[in-house]
Amino acid sequence: MTRFNEYNSLFFVINLFMLCSAVRSDLNADFYKQTCPDLLKIVRKEVKDALKIEMRMAASLLRLHFVDCFVNGCDASILLDGSNSEKFATLNLNSVRGFEVVDAVKSAVESACSGVVSCADILALIARDSVLLSGGPTWKVLLGRRDGLVPNQRGANLAIPSQYDTLDTIISKFANVGLNVTDVVSLSGAHTIGQARCATFSKRLWNFFKTGGPDSTMEKDMLSDLRHVCLVNGDGNETTALDRNSNDLFDNHYYQNLLDGKGLLHSDQILFNGGDDETKSVVENYRRKPKLFFDDFIKSMIKMGNIGPVTGSSGQIRKNCRVIN
């Protein structure tokens, strides 16, 4: 089947332009070496302090970088308040969180290096540190992004992959921003940490796509357990671990769960049961080879961080990540 559809054709054209910009960008790991030499230490300390309060925050901070890069490129537009805020896009509403942590990091950075470090670069750094402090791998984050000036709520509604999208649609949305099938599976592995609200998966428990029964790919004991957490008439705000039995450790256990029918979100489980031999093969490889998963995850994060960065004299360095200067 084709990886693209009419639904995403417009965004393919737009993001192709952004990708061309990314190729020309000059992001580098030493961008702030002279202008803000203690940047990495400052960010690491603030993220560490946040995770001491709530370990779940690691996944939330990682998700912020992900949903930001899929809309307008990695320009920190997800952080902007206002009527067109991406925070209120359908898939972000009651989902994205951690903005207060970003504020704290930005404040600490501004105290040391006023007007120097972009919010977009801060998002990239806190994503890396959240993975590392959860037991995952580390990598050199390429820096030098500037902050965008316009949020794009409509773009967020169209571009961000949904937990109930078909596998082809998910692959197409990744392809629209220059990410391939391996990136789909490796970046989905971020769900090895964090929690999900019942509202994001409860359709799988009771009346899956109006079949009158549960999602047949879900393991029976897990189904029974989740039905006790997510009641039929509940408000959908109860949470449970994305990676059953390994919720706070960044490892490859997530892929074992997919083999066992224990992927929490529909978009997780279809990587193995969605009829695509390529995604299934990558899942199996990551289950057997944790180092391969870590290596590919790093490559995919760096690749994602290069989507349409604002550089040079474009954009600005926001003093407050929530508003334009």
Side-chain angles (χ1 to χ4, degrees), residues 200-220:
T200 63
F201 62 85
S202 58
K203 291 180 182 178
R204 301 185 67 202
L205 309 181
W206 306 101
N207 187 22
F208 186 57
F209 288 135
K210 298 182 180 180
T211 61
D215 184 346
S216 61
T217 65
M218 183 176 286
E219 192 269 338
K220 301 303 181 185

Side-chain angles (χ1 to χ4, degrees), residues 62 131 134-137 189-190 192-193 246 248-252 293-294 297:
L62 179 55
V131 171
S134 299
T192 184
I193 55 175
S246 180
D248 287 331
L249 179 63
F250 196 101
D251 58 11
N252 68 328
F293 164 50
F294 278 14
F297 183 81

Side-chain angles (χ1 to χ4, degrees), residues 159-313:
I160 297 173
S162 164
Q163 63 271 23
Y164 286 114
D165 279 342
T166 65
L167 184 53
D168 270 354
T169 297
I170 291 172
I171 291 172
S172 291
K173 288 181 177 181
F174 273 70
N176 287 350
V177 292
L179 301 175
N180 60 30
V181 172
T182 298
D183 298 319
V184 171
V185 184
S186 63
L187 291 174
S188 295
H191 288 172
T192 184
I193 55 175
Q195 304 269 321
R197 296 167 53 245
C198 287
T200 63
F201 62 85
S202 58
K203 291 180 182 178
R204 301 185 67 202
L205 309 181
W206 306 101
N207 187 22
F208 186 57
F209 288 135
K210 298 182 180 180
T211 61
D215 184 346
S216 61
T217 65
M218 183 176 286
E219 192 269 338
K220 301 303 181 185
D221 288 340
M222 181 176 175
L223 173 64
S224 177
D225 291 344
L226 291 178
R227 280 179 164 179
H228 286 90
V229 174
C230 306
L231 304 180
V232 176
N233 297 316
D235 62 9
N237 289 319
E238 299 86 354
T239 62
T240 191
L242 279 161
D243 188 2
R244 187 175 172 90
N245 298 323
S246 180
N247 57 307
D248 287 331
L249 179 63
F250 196 101
D251 58 11
N252 68 328
H253 185 266
Y254 163 86
Y255 298 103
Q256 179 61 58
N257 275 344
L258 299 189
L259 266 64
D260 294 339
K262 296 179 181 178
L264 184 65
L265 304 182
H266 174 61
S267 54
D268 292 325
Q269 196 59 52
I270 59 172
L271 297 176
F272 187 72
N273 292 104
D276 188 293
D277 290 339
E278 188 173 359
T279 62
K280 182 176 182 179
S281 176
V282 178
V283 168
E284 292 171 335
N285 283 335
Y286 288 165
R287 168 60 191 92
R288 293 193 305 269
K289 303 172 182 178
K291 185 179 184 302
L292 176 63
F293 164 50
F294 278 14
D295 289 346
D296 281 358
F297 183 81
I298 289 171
K299 293 175 185 176
S300 295
M301 286 296 292
I302 294 172
K303 191 175 175 182
M304 185 182 77
N306 261 309
I307 298 172
V310 180
T311 59
S313 60

